[in-house]
Amino acid sequence: MQPSETKPKTVIVGAGVIGMAIAHDLLKRGRDVTVVDEAEPGRGASFGNMASIAVTEFMPVSRPSVWLQTPGWLLHPEGPIRVSPTYAPRLIPWFLRFFWAGRPSKMRALEEQGAALCRRALNDTTVLLESIGLKDHLSATGCLSLYASEEEFEADRERLDMLDRHGFRYEVLGHNALHDLEPELAPVIKKAVLLPDNRTLNDPYAFVSRLVEVVVGQGGNVVRGKVTGLERANRVTGVRLDDGQVLDADTVVLAAGAFTGRLSRTIGEPIPLETERGYHTQINAPGIELKHSIIWPAKAFMVSPTGGGIRVGGTVEMAGLDAAPDWRRSKITVKRAREALPNLRVEDATEWIGHRPAFPDTVPVMSASAKVPGVYYATGHGHLGLTYAATTAHLMGQLIANETPEIDLTPYRVDRF
């Protein structure tokens, strides 16, 4: 091991699950690591995600079948997508890239880019959890995709065909088998697909908090502060905070989720990163027991059993980083969840909003900067930040250490747009 004063210094901007997992990996590689975030670690999107290691959910969002449904969704007051009228003009460039990404000639390549990460995700997550003493925080049961009719099932055929192409496991369950597994489901649910490798984490915030403990215990630093820019000469030399402090660095990793775009612009490298605002309702006394997480594609919601009860979430709101929450969005998903779970009680519950970082092609950026040597990006994981976290950390560790990553990272480069 090198003396501590000669260790290469890495500053990671962003103390969510992505940033903390990368910090854990880089410490094992002998680097001096500091993580900086304006907020408490794990209190952003990592706090309120749906607690799912969702290895089957890599289908690109932009595709012709979605284009056809989008106008109806936008016009419906309880549709799965809401775009703020005042923010909509700023979204025009992003949506142009979104539609271009979904052209049929590009779809299979985008599928493979997501599948390449998802093939590793469950194993990498399991290894990371074991290494920090949280092996028992991952469920042994999978996820159920629900259908109230044969028409709903056939409408989801596109996703099942994709899973067949890429070799992901699933099992179709009829009414009796399904209700034997989950007796609390309403009789209206006629059929389901069991996704056995989609697991649930007991508490995503506890996961990040434990990563912080381990990182600090191994000599890393976690700093509260607002980053205002990067110091650089021929390459990056440090991270500047709003109190005037500069954190010296040989390498900087921008892993600030949906806020990464603000930092990339300070080095002349704008990226088409938007926030897909997500809501959840954490129900502390649900009055029912649920063994599997459930999704109902036709209703666009998810329910996950967590250590604190049951979590309900789903839908997408595009209104930027600064707009006030619209708590009607969380109430919509609870309303739909009760259609599937009629005995669900919601008297003791809390609501949350967070920012999912989204690129138009649904593929994250894991890349060196094309503008400033020593700067790296790990952002844009969309709805799969928790799913991809351990894999991203492993690949970014290899990239930063000048090793050959086990997955070709060319498709995830920052200058692909």
Side-chain angles (χ1 to χ4, degrees), residues 283 285-288 338 341 343-348:
I283 303 170
I288 63 171
R338 296 187 77 175
L341 301 165
N343 296 320
L344 179 64
R345 301 183 62 178
V346 295
E347 292 85 359
D348 181 5

mmCIF file of all heavy atoms in Angstrom, residues 283 285-288 338 341 343-348:
data_model
loop_
_atom_site.group_PDB
_atom_site.id
_atom_site.type_symbol
_atom_site.label_atom_id
_atom_site.label_comp_id
_atom_site.label_asym_id
_atom_site.label_seq_id
_atom_site.Cartn_x
_atom_site.Cartn_y
_atom_site.Cartn_z
ATOM 1 N N ILE A 283 -46.294 3.439 3.581
ATOM 2 C CA ILE A 283 -47.421 3.084 4.446
ATOM 3 C C ILE A 283 -46.867 2.254 5.600
ATOM 4 O O ILE A 283 -46.388 1.139 5.419
ATOM 5 C CB ILE A 283 -48.491 2.311 3.656
ATOM 6 C CG1 ILE A 283 -48.956 3.157 2.457
ATOM 7 C CG2 ILE A 283 -49.664 1.956 4.556
ATOM 8 C CD1 ILE A 283 -49.838 2.403 1.483
ATOM 9 N N ALA A 285 -48.386 1.172 8.466
ATOM 10 C CA ALA A 285 -49.264 0.141 9.039
ATOM 11 C C ALA A 285 -50.257 -0.274 7.963
ATOM 12 O O ALA A 285 -51.439 0.092 8.010
ATOM 13 C CB ALA A 285 -49.968 0.668 10.280
ATOM 14 N N PRO A 286 -49.811 -1.062 6.961
ATOM 15 C CA PRO A 286 -50.665 -1.350 5.802
ATOM 16 C C PRO A 286 -51.813 -2.298 6.082
ATOM 17 O O PRO A 286 -52.754 -2.384 5.290
ATOM 18 C CB PRO A 286 -49.687 -1.972 4.799
ATOM 19 C CG PRO A 286 -48.608 -2.561 5.651
ATOM 20 C CD PRO A 286 -48.473 -1.641 6.828
ATOM 21 N N GLY A 287 -51.745 -3.044 7.188
ATOM 22 C CA GLY A 287 -52.822 -3.968 7.515
ATOM 23 C C GLY A 287 -52.846 -5.234 6.680
ATOM 24 O O GLY A 287 -53.776 -6.041 6.796
ATOM 25 N N ILE A 288 -51.867 -5.412 5.806
ATOM 26 C CA ILE A 288 -51.771 -6.618 4.984
ATOM 27 C C ILE A 288 -50.319 -7.067 4.943
ATOM 28 O O ILE A 288 -49.395 -6.293 5.242
ATOM 29 C CB ILE A 288 -52.277 -6.394 3.539
ATOM 30 C CG1 ILE A 288 -51.400 -5.352 2.825
ATOM 31 C CG2 ILE A 288 -53.745 -5.996 3.522
ATOM 32 C CD1 ILE A 288 -51.689 -5.229 1.338
ATOM 33 N N ARG A 338 -54.796 0.371 -4.323
ATOM 34 C CA ARG A 338 -55.928 -0.207 -3.589
ATOM 35 C C ARG A 338 -56.876 -0.978 -4.512
ATOM 36 O O ARG A 338 -57.659 -1.804 -4.051
ATOM 37 C CB ARG A 338 -56.668 0.891 -2.835
ATOM 38 C CG ARG A 338 -55.803 1.538 -1.759
ATOM 39 C CD ARG A 338 -56.573 2.493 -0.894
ATOM 40 N NE ARG A 338 -57.385 1.789 0.082
ATOM 41 C CZ ARG A 338 -58.098 2.407 1.030
ATOM 42 N NH1 ARG A 338 -58.093 3.729 1.101
ATOM 43 N NH2 ARG A 338 -58.811 1.712 1.881
ATOM 44 N N LEU A 341 -55.040 -4.184 -4.176
ATOM 45 C CA LEU A 341 -54.936 -4.634 -2.794
ATOM 46 C C LEU A 341 -56.071 -3.983 -1.995
ATOM 47 O O LEU A 341 -55.869 -2.996 -1.279
ATOM 48 C CB LEU A 341 -53.571 -4.242 -2.214
ATOM 49 C CG LEU A 341 -52.346 -4.806 -2.942
ATOM 50 C CD1 LEU A 341 -51.083 -4.070 -2.524
ATOM 51 C CD2 LEU A 341 -52.207 -6.300 -2.675
ATOM 52 N N ASN A 343 -57.620 -4.510 0.679
ATOM 53 C CA ASN A 343 -57.553 -4.434 2.142
ATOM 54 C C ASN A 343 -56.425 -3.525 2.639
ATOM 55 O O ASN A 343 -56.206 -3.430 3.849
ATOM 56 C CB ASN A 343 -57.376 -5.840 2.739
ATOM 57 C CG ASN A 343 -58.565 -6.733 2.463
ATOM 58 O OD1 ASN A 343 -59.707 -6.280 2.523
ATOM 59 N ND2 ASN A 343 -58.311 -7.992 2.141
ATOM 60 N N LEU A 344 -55.735 -2.872 1.715
ATOM 61 C CA LEU A 344 -54.627 -1.998 2.082
ATOM 62 C C LEU A 344 -55.138 -0.796 2.876
ATOM 63 O O LEU A 344 -56.066 -0.107 2.472
ATOM 64 C CB LEU A 344 -53.915 -1.507 0.817
ATOM 65 C CG LEU A 344 -52.729 -0.558 1.001
ATOM 66 C CD1 LEU A 344 -51.592 -1.247 1.738
ATOM 67 C CD2 LEU A 344 -52.243 -0.046 -0.364
ATOM 68 N N ARG A 345 -54.530 -0.546 4.025
ATOM 69 C CA ARG A 345 -54.883 0.605 4.862
ATOM 70 C C ARG A 345 -53.791 1.665 4.718
ATOM 71 O O ARG A 345 -52.608 1.343 4.708
ATOM 72 C CB ARG A 345 -55.036 0.181 6.323
ATOM 73 C CG ARG A 345 -56.106 -0.887 6.525
ATOM 74 C CD ARG A 345 -56.281 -1.234 7.986
ATOM 75 N NE ARG A 345 -56.717 -0.059 8.747
ATOM 76 C CZ ARG A 345 -56.983 -0.088 10.062
ATOM 77 N NH1 ARG A 345 -56.847 -1.230 10.744
ATOM 78 N NH2 ARG A 345 -57.376 1.005 10.689
ATOM 79 N N VAL A 346 -54.213 2.924 4.647
ATOM 80 C CA VAL A 346 -53.246 4.000 4.384
ATOM 81 C C VAL A 346 -53.342 5.136 5.406
ATOM 82 O O VAL A 346 -52.885 6.249 5.159
ATOM 83 C CB VAL A 346 -53.415 4.555 2.954
ATOM 84 C CG1 VAL A 346 -53.082 3.494 1.929
ATOM 85 C CG2 VAL A 346 -54.827 5.092 2.739
ATOM 86 N N GLU A 347 -53.908 4.863 6.568
ATOM 87 C CA GLU A 347 -54.069 5.933 7.565
ATOM 88 C C GLU A 347 -52.717 6.421 8.101
ATOM 89 O O GLU A 347 -52.549 7.607 8.397
ATOM 90 C CB GLU A 347 -54.938 5.442 8.727
ATOM 91 C CG GLU A 347 -56.395 5.180 8.358
ATOM 92 C CD GLU A 347 -56.613 3.785 7.784
ATOM 93 O OE1 GLU A 347 -55.627 3.031 7.661
ATOM 94 O OE2 GLU A 347 -57.768 3.474 7.452
ATOM 95 N N ASP A 348 -51.772 5.526 8.248
ATOM 96 C CA ASP A 348 -50.455 5.871 8.799
ATOM 97 C C ASP A 348 -49.442 5.845 7.659
ATOM 98 O O ASP A 348 -48.885 4.795 7.320
ATOM 99 C CB ASP A 348 -50.075 4.862 9.897
ATOM 100 C CG ASP A 348 -48.727 5.170 10.549
ATOM 101 O OD1 ASP A 348 -48.128 6.220 10.216
ATOM 102 O OD2 ASP A 348 -48.261 4.351 11.362
#
